[in-house]
Amino acid sequence: MRVAAASLEHVDLDGARWGLVLSLADEEGRVGLGEATPLPGFSPESADDDRRALAELPGPLGPIELPGGASAARAAPEEAALAAERALAPLSSRLRGVPAARFALETALLDLLGQRLGVPVSACLGGHRPYAEVQVNGLLTTSSALSEMLEGARALAARGVGAIKVKLRSRGEDGFARDLEALRALRREHPEVELRLDANAAWSLDEAPRRLGSLAPLRPRFVEQPVAPALLHQLGACEVPWAADESLAVEGMAERLLDAEGCAAFILKPAMLGLLRAHELGRRAQARGLDAVATHLFDGPVALAAACELALSLPRPPLACGLDAHAGLEAWPAVRVPQLRGGGVVAASGRPGLGIGGWTA
């Protein structure tokens, strides 16, 4: 199979952020979709960088060859990931440093291959799995007023969401004390909820163990990225386990963290890692006894569908994932994400590929 045509559409989201939707068509008329929507201030590249990396397709793409030749029925679904990786080999230098562009290309290729094989992207990544749905976690922030944060928690509970992630936005000792009081109020009102926290790499190596100890009575599952990405492997075991997020994008760091004391989970953002790399890290983390969480980067519907397929592709069900619909989707054309369901879950779409119909911007 070869990619016969490619197109790239720009979506202006809020004047400060652009989304790129990549369409790849094969010689039989199937169309695979991918999305690159870097987040300013967080992603290492801009939308212009991604646009340049994705220009002039399909010329640089290698052929997409599955074992079994012309007979897709003889190919195991998970061999599609290897086929996509081989097809992308000629673009390796162009895609270095632009993970959102890589994510878009990998997603579009796997969407095409899934349609050809008649299986979802999740099966292309990891084969058929015995689970068909994954819980989602809710998201709150301590930058909101306490009353607003507690009302948000009530709304999540009413929807059946059983895990809440809270971003700790305050800075300094006084700010941490305020966050601690807000979290105590949240825990009093929701004693059974699974609580996760995200320090956004704001603490020093000296502060982190003490602050994690202060948080221990609240029984958080873990605290994401307590310290700077390049320092996380030095943190060690603390009173509260911690999880790796931004550190996974640092070259060689994921391999160190697989064996690091205190590391409880890998937070998998395919928009920052690439879809194939995110799946590889999730698989390896679970093999070492760590948990995995798949999450979006407040991207659009195509990337969100791909992140849902990642969550459905791992060897065992991940923890509740950061895949809930978000307000930023309102800036995109109305496209149904078939994996999003009510009741706080994402579930298999029952469709080949990503399961998204024709894209119209």
Side-chain angles (χ1 to χ4, degrees):
M1 183 179 81
R2 286 185 176 274
V3 175
S7 64
L8 196 61
E9 296 189 44
H10 296 65
V11 181
D12 186 359
L13 301 177
D14 56 11
R17 193 180 188 192
W18 284 85
L20 302 171
V21 176
L22 173 67
S23 299
L24 299 181
D26 69 10
E27 68 271 45
E28 296 177 6
R30 302 180 189 89
V31 177
L33 298 174
E35 179 194 320
T37 308
L39 183 61
F42 189 86
S43 299
E45 84 270 43
S46 68
D48 279 341
D49 295 330
D50 289 325
R51 178 186 54 78
R52 285 189 289 269
L54 296 171
E56 300 177 5
L57 293 173
L61 276 172
I64 306 172
E65 298 177 355
L66 285 170
S71 175
R74 291 201 296 270
E78 59 268 33
E79 291 171 344
L82 296 174
E85 192 171 358
R86 289 192 296 267
L88 287 172
L91 287 168
S92 57
S93 60
R94 184 185 295 196
L95 296 175
R96 189 172 296 116
V98 283
R102 175 174 285 280
F103 177 35
L105 257 175
E106 291 171 343
T107 300
L109 287 174
L110 290 173
D111 188 11
L112 268 180
L113 287 164
Q115 292 176 52
R116 179 174 186 262
L117 296 169
V119 300
V121 166
S122 59
C124 292
L125 286 167
H128 295 291
R129 297 302 185 196
Y131 62 97
E133 68 177 40
V134 172
Q135 299 291 311
V136 301
N137 67 260
L139 180 63
L140 301 174
T141 174
T142 58
S143 60
S144 304
L146 177 58
S147 59
E148 183 179 341
M149 190 177 83
L150 293 178
E151 183 57 36
R154 294 181 199 117
L156 290 169
R159 289 176 47 211
V161 175
I164 295 177
K165 170 180 168 176
V166 182
K167 283 185 170 286
L168 308 180
R169 296 294 196 188
S170 304
R171 297 293 178 261
E173 290 301 321
D174 289 344
F176 179 72
R178 288 193 298 272
D179 284 355
L180 198 55
E181 285 305 309
L183 293 170
R184 286 169 178 156
L186 177 63
R187 177 52 88 197
R188 284 194 298 270
E189 190 165 310
H190 299 276
E192 301 305 321
V193 75
E194 180 180 296
L195 184 62
R196 305 178 197 163
L197 308 175
D198 186 356
N200 292 112
W203 302 342
S204 71
L205 277 174
D206 290 333
E207 290 172 329
R210 174 172 48 82
R211 291 187 175 183
L212 288 168
S214 298
L215 292 166
L218 299 172
R219 297 177 285 109
R221 181 86 184 227
F222 51 68
V223 175
E224 291 181 29
Q225 203 65 47
V227 301
L231 300 177
L232 189 57
H233 66 296
Q234 299 179 34
L235 183 55
C238 299
E239 288 187 61
V240 170
W242 44 266
D245 184 352
E246 291 89 344
S247 291
L248 299 179
V250 177
E251 187 173 357
M253 187 60 68
E255 285 68 26
R256 293 179 179 180
L257 292 171
L258 283 169
D259 293 316
E261 286 190 57
C263 185
F266 276 11
I267 311 300
L268 308 171
K269 287 191 174 86
M272 290 293 294
L273 301 168
L275 187 55
L276 295 176
R277 175 66 170 165
H279 179 265
E280 176 200 359
L281 290 179
R283 177 182 55 77
R284 292 173 66 189
Q286 289 189 338
R288 297 289 184 94
L290 304 182
D291 285 312
V293 175
T295 183
H296 57 62
L297 195 62
F298 301 101
D299 348 66
V302 176
L304 179 53
C308 290
E309 291 294 318
L310 170 65
L312 293 162
S313 74
L314 297 171
R316 67 173 190 267
L319 298 180
C321 289
L323 299 172
D324 208 3
H326 58 89
L329 290 170
E330 296 176 3
W332 287 81
V335 173
R336 180 173 175 267
V337 179
Q339 296 83 1
L340 290 185
R341 308 293 171 84
V345 300
V346 299
S349 70
R351 304 176 184 180
L354 283 181
I356 295 177
W359 169 264
T360 54

